[in-house]
């Protein structure tokens, strides 16, 4: 029997990143640059293993509080205070979630009414767009590439309408590695400060910045605090993607509703994973390790691939390279498929991150350096034999 | 700055179960019968620990496939085939989720349009009602207690309207322990078979049945297969609540959309927890252990408390006792508060499970037997000293 389902759910498509990953897995001997999956996850586990084991033996492993294990919330509050000068009450303004994906969904569910608009800086992470659509919202794109990777207040202010409910910033950015500068943030602040617009700041890559650069945040503007959600977690900076622990910080008034949505989604985050996160936060060297590993990778991959592509965005943070492959005369999707077939290298086409195919592809370089070298050599050989 | 948020999100309230738990934790020396938290979770961990550790050392602990680790999906498919004669393709008809809470939310998000009705058998688990409301649906209650704990087709058929999108069955039931009999299921089947109505069968307590009773399922009706979602997981039957692993089975056509919603919610379930689940499924003795422990508890608590309450539903499964405390002349909420204050025993008032306060309270007896005995003695003493 055929039954009509939710109209928004039917329009939301599976992630193309995952589709490329599954396709890559169907070939042998593939160098896989699809997912943002730091390769040192075993190292993290080995580092936290003993502490985690002892924790499990002395603490219950049942449901945690719906906001998360209080001791973890306190550790997160201290971490965010120390590292980012973000001051949030662990009892009422922090919710521990299933990765940073969950608060994207929970916050958007909390704030969006049908037809509300969300401004997103394009290219952007897949799940922003699909979540906005899933809740009946409309994505309004600010095109970073057409604007020399800068936020221009005259361009941005044109996008704001009475329907604008939120603006979403992801800095450092997936997939470009762009770090929003103080000037960029100032432009955003000036455009929105007098409008009733929520700010969603996805800071999951905030620890991973290069060249000694600091990553500023819109949380530096104290008068945005009462309408700002900060998303973060340990997936990237502590190489803990598979543990699925993120968190959302925000003003109590709204966080208490996000917490109810979170409870309706999943009841509470994995308690085991929360204990692991508590252990990981005792090891800041894990993050430093990731930064230095991936800065070396970034330098190598950028220098090596620049001559082969029409345009390459120099990443200031995160661990992705965004490459304009249109000089190969293929759509980004065709390029990704051909590269996989011919050289057994998997990347993600721009259709995963943009409304239209811009010809760009994303390469995730958070892998082992030797693997990276082999993959880059293969890309350099692409089409040479034709 | 005050900004208007989603109208449905604002109406959804936090779980009263959790509220009672937090209140209970604020007292000293409390016997806590609030949560459905099997007390042998450490035993499970000890049982699976060595296998889990070895698994982690040889397998990556990054993101799993969005549907879940394939090996786990295969194990789930085999488990459901062997135990329940439920035949689902592990590649396209099973999604591993963050507990069984997540598929409640994901399935309802997938199917509900604004104003759609969902028939729920009252009393029922808190998150059904709140999730239906969160997605703009309307809860239509079939009152089990007013109908002698039976499904009557004349009563049920009156509830079906052109707006009915789904019927939700939870057997064994939280909070009553009611097992839906073949006759109950037949009545449901007859009422819905000719209407375009989805069936959601939450079978999380299916393993926990007493007196050698079998728990039938609406999945026994093969012609419902193309519009049925089966929810299950390891939280209760393997005492793994804190690991947060559930799953949803359903026809490929709809499951692929549920999987996208799931991806938008959380990307994928905790990989560590999925590995733990794989290990647990190798130990069916864990479930048998739970059944025999809680059958003894059930017998004790039912016999001991029957004389003290106006009405007690004899549980055929799960691990809750639903007690009509109205003979104490208090609302269920007042009774729960007074019992906590006077005797330091925490239970959950019926307002967590019903639209109105019926005077009932839920007692979760999945605790250690000695703790149970002490708690029961305290309840028997309630008001005696006044």
């Amino acid at each position: 029997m055929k039954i009509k389902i939710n109209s928004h759910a039917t329009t939301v498509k599976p992630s193309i990143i995952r589709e490329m990953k599954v396709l890559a897995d169907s070939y042998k001997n593939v160098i896989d640059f699809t997912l943002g999956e730091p390769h040192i996850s075993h190292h993290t586990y080995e580092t936290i293993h003993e502490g985690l084991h002892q924790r499990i033996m002395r603490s219950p492993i049942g449901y945690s509080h719906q906001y998360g294990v209080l001791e973890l919330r306190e550790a997160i509050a201290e971490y965010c205070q120390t590292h980012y000068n973000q001051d949030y009450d662990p009892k009422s303004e922090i919710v521990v979630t299933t990765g940073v994906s969950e608060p994207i969904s929970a916050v958007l569910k909390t704030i969006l009414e049908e037809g509300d608009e969300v401004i997103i800086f394009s290219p952007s992470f897949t799940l922003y767009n699909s979540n906005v659509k899933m809740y009946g919202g409309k994505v309004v794109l600010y095109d970073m590439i057409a604007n020399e990777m800068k936020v221009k207040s005259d361009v941005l202010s044109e996008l704001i309408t009475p329907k604008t409910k939120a603006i979403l910033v992801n800095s450092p950015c997936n997939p470009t590695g762009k770090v929003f500068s103080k000037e960029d943030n100032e432009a955003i602040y000036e455009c929105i400060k007098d409008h009733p617009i929520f700010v969603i700041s996805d800071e999951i890559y905030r620890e991973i910045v290069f060249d000694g650069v600091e990553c500023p945040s819109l949380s530096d503007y104290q008068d945005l605090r009462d309408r700002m959600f900060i998303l973060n977690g340990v997936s990237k900076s502590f190489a803990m993607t598979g543990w699925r622990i993120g968190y959302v910080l925000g003003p109590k008034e709204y966080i208490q509703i996000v917490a109810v949505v979170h409870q309706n989604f999943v009841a509470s985050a994995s308690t085991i994973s929360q204990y692991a996160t508590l252990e990981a936060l005792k090891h800041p060297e894990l993050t430093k390790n990731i930064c230095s590993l991936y800065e070396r990778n970034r330098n190598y991959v950028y220098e090596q691939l620049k001559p082969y592509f029409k345009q390459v965005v120099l990443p200031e943070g995160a661990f992705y390279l965004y490459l304009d492959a249109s000089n190969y005369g293929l759509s980004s999707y065709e390029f990704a498929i051909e590269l996989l077939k011919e050289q057994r290298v998997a990347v993600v086409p721009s259709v995963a991150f943009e409304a239209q195919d811009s010809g760009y592809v994303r390469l995730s370089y958070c892998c082992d350096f030797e693997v990276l070298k082999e993959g880059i050599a293969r890309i350099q050989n692409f089409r040479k034999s034709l």
Side-chain angles (χ1 to χ4, degrees), chain A:
Chain A
M1 187 174 280
K2 182 84 186 165
I3 311 176
K4 198 175 160 291
I5 63 169
N6 181 273
S7 58
H8 300 308
T10 51
T11 62
V12 177
K13 297 283 169 270
S15 157
I16 294 162
I17 303 176
R18 289 309 190 124
E19 191 189 302
M20 286 306 298
K21 165 75 180 156
V22 168
L23 192 62
D25 287 345
S26 73
Y27 286 86
K28 288 209 173 97
N29 189 28
V30 164
I31 304 247
D32 185 355
F33 294 139
T34 59
L35 301 189
E37 184 86 273
H39 75 291
I40 59 163
S41 67
H42 269 106
H43 174 66
T44 299
Y45 173 68
E46 283 157 24
T47 306
I48 67 175
H49 169 254
E50 191 52 34
L52 175 61
H53 186 73
Q54 286 183 20
R55 160 75 59 171
I56 293 169
M57 296 314 290
R58 81 169 184 269
S59 303
I61 37 180
Y63 296 110
S64 79
H65 187 282
Q66 67 266 36
Y67 280 68
V69 170
L70 180 58
E71 194 182 343
L72 175 58
R73 282 180 277 148
E74 287 167 346
I76 290 166
E78 197 190 323
Y79 190 91
C80 292
Q81 176 72 68
T82 310
H83 288 69
Y84 312 131
N85 199 29
Q86 292 167 340
D87 187 19
Y88 287 86
D89 174 17
K91 290 215 167 130
S92 62
E93 299 188 312
I94 298 176
V95 179
V96 180
T97 53
T98 307
V100 82
S101 307
E102 200 206 330
I104 295 168
S105 200
V107 166
L108 291 170
K109 170 64 207 168
T110 299
I111 64 174
L112 289 187
E113 291 277 14
E114 185 86 26
D116 279 351
E117 295 172 0
V118 180
I119 297 174
I120 293 175
F121 295 89
S122 176
S124 67
F125 178 49
T126 323
L127 293 186
Y128 304 147
N129 299 266
S130 55
N131 268 294
V132 170
K133 287 180 193 159
M134 191 167 88
Y135 296 121
K138 193 184 151 204
V139 173
V140 174
L141 295 178
Y142 178 102
D143 188 335
M144 287 298 277
I145 290 176
N147 287 289
E148 300 90 47
M149 300 302 288
K150 284 183 170 57
V151 181
K152 298 175 185 170
S153 53
D154 55 334
V155 179
L156 179 58
S157 60
E158 285 288 310
L159 302 181
I160 294 172
T161 78
K163 286 262 178 199
T164 307
K165 181 59 73 77
I167 187 164
L168 201 160
V169 177
N170 173 219
S171 172
C173 171
N174 170 11
T176 60
K178 154 83 181 171
V179 170
F180 282 59
S181 66
K182 277 192 176 153
E183 291 70 30
D184 293 321
N185 285 347
E186 184 69 18
I188 294 170
Y189 173 73
E190 285 300 326
C191 287
I192 64 163
K193 71 181 163 70
D194 297 325
H195 299 278
I197 297 174
F198 284 107
V199 178
I200 304 171
S201 183
D202 180 349
E203 308 190 351
I204 188 68
Y205 297 101
R206 186 161 184 185
E207 301 274 7
I208 307 167
V209 283
F210 311 129
D211 309 320
V213 166
E214 283 269 307
C215 181
S217 163
L218 284 163
S219 69
D220 300 338
Y221 296 90
Q222 269 301 313
D223 59 321
L224 293 180
R225 190 189 192 282
D226 66 354
R227 44 159 153 159
M228 181 159 185
F229 298 100
I230 299 166
L231 317 185
N232 212 329
V234 290
S235 293
K236 309 300 183 178
S237 47
F238 288 86
M240 289 180 70
T241 59
W243 301 81
R244 314 299 306 117
I245 293 294
Y247 48 88
V248 50
L249 318 176
K252 179 179 176 181
E253 177 192 10
Y254 296 118
I255 278 292
Q256 67 189 1
I257 300 171
V258 171
V260 177
V261 173
H262 157 72
Q263 191 173 43
N264 276 294
F265 279 177
V266 300
S268 54
S270 164
T271 305
I272 296 288
S273 296
Q274 292 187 65
Y275 289 153
T277 303
L278 250 176
E279 290 303 315
L281 291 178
K282 294 176 189 164
H283 295 278
E285 75 278 10
L286 288 165
T287 289
K288 290 212 170 61
N289 188 9
I290 281 183
C291 263
S292 65
L293 282 172
Y294 299 152
E295 182 155 357
R296 181 189 180 199
N297 284 11
R298 193 273 315 247
N299 293 341
Y300 182 80
V301 74
Y302 181 75
E303 288 307 322
Q304 288 293 316
L305 289 183
K306 210 167 176 299
Y308 291 82
F309 290 86
K310 188 176 168 192
Q311 181 77 33
V312 182
V313 182
L314 175 70
E316 301 161 291
F319 40 53
Y320 307 104
L321 199 64
Y322 208 51
L323 306 149
D324 185 349
S326 59
N327 50 308
Y328 286 90
L330 300 166
S331 75
S332 75
Y333 192 77
E334 290 165 343
F335 177 86
I337 298 292
E338 291 302 310
L339 183 66
L340 179 60
K341 281 189 185 164
E342 188 196 306
Q343 295 290 339
R344 299 287 190 268
V345 173
V347 295
V348 181
S350 63
V351 278
F353 313 104
E354 302 189 56
Q356 265 100 38
D357 190 330
S358 64
Y360 277 78
V361 295
R362 185 190 80 173
L363 182 156
S364 171
Y365 58 78
C366 54
C367 54
D368 177 78
F369 189 66
E370 293 307 313
V371 174
L372 187 69
K373 282 210 297 198
E374 167 63 20
I376 296 312
R378 291 189 193 182
I379 293 173
Q380 290 170 334
N381 278 326
F382 179 60
R383 293 278 148 124
K384 278 217 176 134
S385 53
L386 295 185

